[in-house]
Amino acid sequence: MLGRDRRIPFYARAVLNTLSLSGDDGLALRNLSNADWKNLLDFCDRTQLTLLFSQHLRECPPDWVKRRLERSLAQNAFRWNRVKSAFEECAAAFSFEAIPFVLLKGFSHCPDFLEDPRLRTQYDLDLLFLPQDVMKAYAVALS
């Protein structure tokens, strides 16, 4: 269990305890008011923990929280599909022009870091090019 450090708000400790799989998240989550749940969700959003937190809840949250988490998961799955399509388009264009590149971060970490890439927020692609290929890659990306 995460310590009782009063500098960490109760709702944030509940999230961190849930994610640490310490087994004591149930009591903390059962004692949350609606205002605490709102603060918890805001905290999860700010720290990009919403998707992961939703997968580790053993206690059933209030219905409005469950709907909010389901909506977040659906929105992220849609966004992930768009990012994946953009990557496939970029990869095809760079391969056609024989421009080597490396995909950094994001879904390149799956399944080693996270089994399902849709449980990680990703808004963009981070690509690494050789210095001599940067301008050519830029031109391809603009086309």
Side-chain angles (χ1 to χ4, degrees):
M1 179 174 107
L2 193 65
R4 300 261 185 242
D5 188 336
R6 295 296 172 209
R7 294 173 295 181
I8 301 174
F10 182 72
Y11 57 84
R13 283 198 314 266
V15 170
L16 297 174
N17 284 338
T18 298
L19 294 177
S20 73
L21 306 176
S22 62
D24 66 347
D25 59 302
L27 179 61
L29 293 175
R30 277 193 300 271
N31 290 330
L32 293 178
S33 66
N34 280 337
D36 289 331
W37 275 107
K38 182 182 179 331
N39 287 331
L40 180 149
L41 293 173
D42 289 344
F43 170 77
C44 284
D45 290 342
R46 283 191 317 274
T47 57
Q48 295 188 350
L49 293 173
T50 305
L51 305 171
L52 196 57
F53 176 72
S54 72
Q55 300 302 295
H56 288 90
L57 275 176
R58 289 186 290 270
E59 292 291 316
C60 188
D63 287 340
W64 69 271
V65 172
K66 185 185 288 189
R67 286 190 303 274
R68 164 64 159 66
L69 293 173
E70 289 168 353
R71 188 171 59 249
S72 293
L73 286 165
Q75 289 170 338
N76 197 65
F78 177 78
R79 183 174 38 254
W80 181 84
N81 285 327
R82 290 185 63 195
V83 170
K84 182 177 178 237
S85 293
F87 169 72
E88 290 168 348
E89 183 179 342
C90 289
F94 296 136
S95 293
F96 182 78
E97 296 293 333
I99 303 172
F101 69 94
V102 175
L103 175 65
L104 304 173
K105 305 188 302 184
F107 53 77
S108 70
H109 292 289
C110 297
D112 297 327
F113 176 68
L114 189 63
E115 206 167 304
D116 185 349
R118 290 168 293 196
L119 295 179
R120 183 185 181 281
T121 303
Q122 182 167 340
Y123 295 101
D124 61 4
L125 297 170
D126 296 293
L127 304 174
L128 177 66
F129 298 93
L130 294 170
Q132 64 269 23
D133 292 329
V134 170
M135 293 311 293
K136 186 176 178 184
Y138 179 71
V140 169
L142 289 178
S143 65

